[in-house]
Amino acid sequence: MSAFKRKRGGQAHVGKKAKKVKFVADGGEAAVEAEQEKRNEGKWTNKERVLIFSSRGINFRTRHLMQDLRTMMPHSKADTKMDRKDKLFVVNEVCEIKNCNKCLFFEAKKKQDLYMWISNSPHGPSAKFLVQNIHTLAELKMTGNCLKGSRPLLSFDPKFDKEPHYALLKELFTQTFSTPRYHPKSQPFVDHVFTFTIADNRIWFRNYQIIEEDASLVEVGPRFVLNLIKVFQGSFGGPTLYENPDFQSPNMHRREIRLAAAARVREKQMVKEMQKMKRTEAKEDLARDVTADVFLTPADEKPVHIQTEAPEPKMVKKNKHKAFKRQRMKMW
Amino acid sequence: MIEKLLKKKNLQEAFSKGLLKPGMNVLVDKPKKLVNNVEGMKQCLAGLRKDLPWVERLDLTNPPAEDVIFKAEGKAPTASKGDVNADDDFQREMFFYRQAQATVLEALPLLNKHGISTKRPDDYFAEMAKSDQHMQKIRKKLISKQLILEKSEKAKKLREQRKFGKKVQVEVIQKRQKEKKAMMTAVKKYQKGMTDKLDFLEGDKKTSKDSSQGPKKAVTKKGSNAKRKYKDQKFGFGGKKSGKKWNTKESYNDVSGFRAKVAHAKSGKGGKKGKGGGGGKQNKRPGKSVRKKMKSRS
């Protein structure tokens, strides 16, 4: 591959403009070279390279997300997992070795929380995010498809222009995610669009495929939500420029939930205890009945008649009939 | 500093100096100061910015496009259009979708101006982000979902039909039972001698006449009348049958059942018996004397 790279710039390749390129799913080598030579006409000036890698301890979803991002961004480079013991500024050195000027670094903590660093490598600003709600390319609900390495349109919410930290992030995103023109691995068509929207103090990322010219879209690519934590002046360090007041670390969040559950249980127990106490409490006898006068009427009261003898048994109606019948018979 | 203050001596000193007021003094944490270095950020942004033509960046900032569905339904668009409710999944996704749509609508003419195409020619084959195999899987899943939906729809319809059919069947059976009951009571009445009218036999016909079709009357009447009458007489409910004599003078003299055509007709269609054999004796059977003579001869 590298040998062919140097061949670029020769006049022999001008005539190969209209060459048909057929790609097998695994991608034959010959076709790749033909494609590279095809795009020789314009020169690749915007030398933007992004290093995408992660720390150890990531789970499958994060790994797939990284792979998907590498697929989407032909100007990206991969690297092996970084050891957690090394300090963060080591990342800068790795970037320099790989000759990259932007970096997307994924860090997993506790095998649960995923943090993403985005930075402009040598001196530039960097930002740390908490990543949530990851859905990868391979999910069957993402029905769209796009060319591998095609240049994306970037769409930003107008809210990005209102706050200085959002404006800074917008610039960072633009430079990181947009594929440079005439990049050797890129495709000359524009057939998908990345959207960055701000909702609920988080940045929502979506990737749509453009099907028709009338802007009918289908979702393609990975989707995730970024929760800004801090913006630093330097790359992976330096003074803090901005801290997100609404950010709550996932640990605190889990702790809050646990405390709430515990508080609920405690409250229930307390209520039960109170009820027990009330029941076993010695109840005082009331000397005066408060409700005694409720039914007193001004009319005369009936004299109290105590019955000493049992009342006479009532005559059952059933027998009445028989009495009559017998009488009848007697009469006959 | 806080630890220092808490020491008794320091507290006393502070109180004497007038820093602490009398009464309850509660230790309160200083509210956490969050960094928001606007100036620093602006400087950073200025340093970061690269002057690239739009063609290189392809970025656009725009609010979402008009909500066509909302307008079609006549609902007033949400006042807080800029503020999406992140919990309402559908609304949120539609918001993102519309934002992307607005971008695309705005960007396409710009792209055309710069000569970048968005449509892929049909003969341009290149590697896609998702493999063909994967797309097949997706297609299969969508088809299976549709099938399941259709099946459930069919099942529902069938169930409805069956319920309806069952209802109709029940109704018909009930009607028949009612008629039978009425007939039985009428017959019993006749048998017991309460009514000597055989109206109930004709009652059915009368009611059926009224309900059934008019023009078909003349056709079905004669044919089934006689047959029906015979069958009714033999198997029906009207009149005494068991105690009667069969072979009376009247029945012997009754030649109403004689059909000359049937009696004298040679069996039509080549004969029922004479298909295979074809030998004599299919049509005419000789008389007793002739048969005796033949017998004695053979």
Side-chain angles (χ1 to χ4, degrees):
Chain A
M1 266 283 234
S2 47
F4 279 95
K5 264 191 191 166
R6 276 177 222 125
K7 269 194 185 175
R8 240 183 294 130
Q11 277 109 0
H13 309 300
V14 177
K16 293 193 181 171
K17 254 198 238 174
K19 187 169 185 172
K20 289 188 193 174
V21 176
K22 198 156 191 176
F23 248 82
V24 185
D26 347 89
E29 280 273 76
V32 174
E33 297 147 11
E35 220 183 14
Q36 281 182 346
E37 291 154 3
K38 188 177 171 177
R39 220 153 298 92
N40 243 334
E41 22 180 356
K43 282 207 186 141
W44 172 35
T45 45
N46 179 15
K47 310 269 176 160
E48 200 68 64
R49 290 182 198 85
V50 182
L51 180 65
I52 304 183
F53 73 122
S54 76
S55 72
R56 303 186 124 263
I58 52 173
N59 64 355
F60 65 96
R61 215 184 289 274
T62 316
R63 200 168 13 97
H64 278 108
L65 176 66
M66 267 199 336
Q67 278 175 3
D68 295 340
L69 283 175
R70 283 185 206 142
T71 317
M72 285 290 140
M73 306 205 285
H75 56 293
S76 65
K77 288 194 183 171
D79 196 26
T80 53
K81 290 188 195 154
M82 189 187 84
D83 220 0
R84 206 113 38 87
K85 285 183 241 151
D86 303 333
K87 307 282 178 184
L88 266 179
F89 53 75
V90 172
V91 181
N92 286 323
E93 292 177 12
V94 178
C95 279
E96 212 187 297
I97 294 172
K98 285 269 176 171
N99 193 17
C100 292
N101 54 1
K102 293 280 186 300
C103 177
L104 275 178
F105 177 61
F106 290 95
E107 199 181 7
K109 291 253 169 90
K110 280 190 164 190
K111 293 189 188 171
Q112 284 175 348
D113 315 318
L114 179 68
Y115 296 97
M116 182 176 102
W117 287 87
I118 179 170
S119 95
N120 179 18
S121 185
H123 325 283
S126 54
K128 185 177 181 186
F129 299 95
L130 173 70
V131 188
Q132 293 167 316
N133 290 8
I134 301 173
H135 294 266
T136 57
L137 265 183
E139 296 209 354
L140 288 176
K141 295 222 169 144
M142 312 277 190
T143 47
N145 198 357
C146 65
L147 280 173
K148 187 170 182 182
S150 62
R151 299 185 62 210
L153 274 176
L154 299 172
S155 163
F156 290 96
D157 205 3
K159 278 197 210 160
F160 272 99
D161 293 329
K162 292 193 186 150
E163 309 266 328
H165 58 273
Y166 282 140
L168 187 59
L169 282 178
K170 178 181 166 180
E171 189 60 34
L172 255 182
F173 286 146
T174 312
Q175 289 185 10
T176 310
F177 287 98
S178 62
T179 305
R181 205 179 182 195
Y182 306 125
H183 190 280
K185 285 197 204 155
S186 69
Q187 305 273 3
F189 304 105
V190 173
D191 67 350
H192 64 290
V193 51
F194 289 159
T195 51
F196 297 87
T197 324
I198 296 178
D200 192 22
N201 282 311
R202 290 171 170 83
I203 302 172
W204 301 69
F205 173 87
R206 297 278 182 276
N207 181 10
Y208 296 99
Q209 177 199 5
I210 305 168
I211 303 181
E212 290 291 325
E213 299 278 313
D214 69 346
S216 55
L217 309 165
V218 178
E219 187 155 1
V220 178
R223 49 149 87 169
F224 47 86
V225 178
L226 299 171
N227 201 351
L228 175 66
I229 305 176
K230 278 190 186 180
V231 180
F232 301 99
Q233 193 180 3
S235 170
F236 291 97
T240 313
L241 288 176
Y242 178 78
E243 237 182 281
N244 187 4
D246 303 313
F247 175 72
Q248 190 193 40
S249 104
N251 262 339
M252 294 299 295
H253 183 70
R254 286 189 280 261
R255 183 164 181 263
E256 265 192 9
I257 293 174
R258 248 181 299 139
L259 284 178
R264 249 179 282 143
V265 170
R266 228 178 294 134
E267 211 184 296
K268 270 195 203 163
Q269 277 181 347
M270 270 173 51
V271 166
K272 273 193 193 164
E273 278 179 25
M274 290 290 293
Q275 281 180 346
K276 249 194 204 172
M277 269 173 55
K278 271 195 185 170
R279 234 183 291 146
T280 54
E281 227 173 36
K283 292 191 191 129
E284 48 177 79
D285 301 321
L286 281 176
R288 191 181 82 89
D289 184 12
V290 186
T291 58
D293 337 338
V294 176
F295 294 111
L296 282 178
T297 46
D300 52 340
E301 296 171 358
K302 285 192 188 157
V304 181
H305 175 73
I306 302 169
Q307 295 182 329
T308 46
E309 299 162 0
E312 295 163 8
K314 258 166 78 175
M315 232 185 25
V316 186
K317 274 191 183 170
K318 222 177 167 186
N319 293 330
K320 250 195 215 172
H321 239 327
K322 279 190 183 162
F324 284 153
K325 206 170 184 185
R326 277 202 204 117
Q327 281 182 6
R328 242 189 279 148
M329 302 301 254
K330 278 184 193 167
M331 279 167 66
W332 282 87
Chain B
M1 210 197 85
I2 297 169
E3 284 80 41
K4 276 195 194 163
L5 254 181
L6 280 176
K7 285 192 186 157
K8 215 177 183 180
K9 213 168 61 166
N10 288 336
L11 274 174
Q12 284 177 338
E13 279 177 24
F15 185 63
S16 56
K17 277 192 206 165
L19 288 171
L20 288 175
K21 292 190 203 141
M24 187 73 159
N25 281 296
V26 184
L27 203 62
V28 175
D29 282 328
K30 238 197 309 187
K32 203 174 164 201
K33 247 193 177 179
L34 292 164
V35 184
N36 190 357
N37 189 353
V38 181
E39 274 309 310
M41 284 198 274
K42 287 192 179 155
Q43 276 180 3
C44 230
L45 182 58
L48 180 65
R49 216 187 272 279
K50 280 200 265 185
D51 284 320
L52 291 169
W54 181 80
V55 201
E56 283 288 337
R57 292 152 48 100
L58 292 181
D59 72 323
L60 281 162
T61 308
N62 44 21
E66 280 296 307
D67 200 353
V68 184
I69 303 172
F70 247 27
K71 277 199 167 169
E73 287 184 353
K75 287 190 211 161
T78 49
S80 59
K81 237 185 177 176
D83 228 15
V84 185
N85 179 17
D87 293 324
D88 185 354
D89 288 342
F90 185 68
Q91 197 197 25
R92 186 189 70 215
E93 295 299 325
M94 285 315 291
F95 187 84
F96 300 155
Y97 186 87
R98 281 181 288 128
Q99 186 189 321
Q101 270 188 327
T103 305
V104 171
L105 289 170
E106 213 183 296
L108 279 176
L110 284 173
L111 284 172
N112 285 329
K113 230 197 315 174
H114 288 279
I116 301 174
S117 50
T118 53
K119 267 206 185 142
R120 200 163 57 119
D122 288 326
D123 55 358
Y124 188 97
F125 294 111
E127 195 176 352
M128 307 289 278
K130 299 189 195 174
S131 67
D132 284 338
Q133 224 180 17
H134 187 79
M135 296 312 287
Q136 288 280 357
K137 232 199 276 183
I138 290 175
R139 206 170 299 136
K140 269 192 211 161
K141 182 115 194 272
L142 282 174
I143 289 173
S144 77
K145 261 198 212 171
Q146 226 176 348
L147 278 175
I148 290 170
L149 203 71
E150 271 175 29
K151 264 194 204 168
S152 72
E153 285 285 331
K154 258 196 231 170
K156 250 192 241 174
K157 269 195 191 162
L158 211 69
R159 247 180 285 142
E160 286 295 321
Q161 259 186 357
R162 248 186 249 154
K163 276 193 192 164
F164 184 70
K166 189 80 179 180
K167 235 200 290 175
V168 167
Q169 195 185 37
V170 164
E171 272 178 23
V172 166
I173 288 176
Q174 279 185 343
K175 193 173 151 202
R176 278 195 206 146
Q177 280 180 343
K178 245 194 258 175
E179 280 182 14
K180 181 175 174 181
K181 196 175 174 189
M183 189 61 136
M184 288 302 288
T185 49
V187 164
K188 277 198 182 147
K189 277 188 181 173
Y190 177 72
Q191 281 182 337
K192 285 192 179 170
M194 288 198 262
T195 49
D196 51 342
K197 285 187 243 172
L198 282 170
D199 280 343
F200 53 85
L201 277 178
E202 292 147 25
D204 278 343
K205 284 178 202 166
K206 270 192 189 157
T207 50
S208 67
K209 265 192 208 175
D210 293 331
S211 58
S212 66
Q213 305 89 336
K216 284 195 183 175
K217 256 194 269 171
V219 182
T220 55
K221 201 180 171 183
K222 281 181 185 172
S224 61
N225 210 12
K227 189 181 177 187
R228 203 79 284 259
K229 241 185 175 172
Y230 169 72
K231 289 260 174 119
D232 275 342
Q233 203 199 1
K234 197 173 179 194
F235 306 114
F237 314 119
K240 267 175 99 177
K241 271 175 286 192
S242 47
K244 276 195 310 192
K245 273 198 219 173
W246 270 120
N247 217 2
T248 55
K249 191 184 183 182
E250 287 86 11
S251 78
Y252 187 79
N253 288 334
D254 181 20
V255 285
S256 59
F258 178 79
R259 298 269 173 274
K261 225 181 186 179
V262 175
H264 297 308
K266 311 209 168 155
S267 36
K269 291 185 189 173
K272 294 177 216 165
K273 290 181 188 172
K275 261 188 190 170
K281 296 203 173 51
Q282 20 176 330
N283 294 335
K284 228 179 173 183
R285 192 170 174 244
K288 191 170 180 180
S289 50
V290 178
R291 272 185 281 139
K292 245 189 174 172
K293 276 183 200 165
M294 288 171 83
K295 206 173 158 188
S296 62
R297 265 192 212 161
S298 64

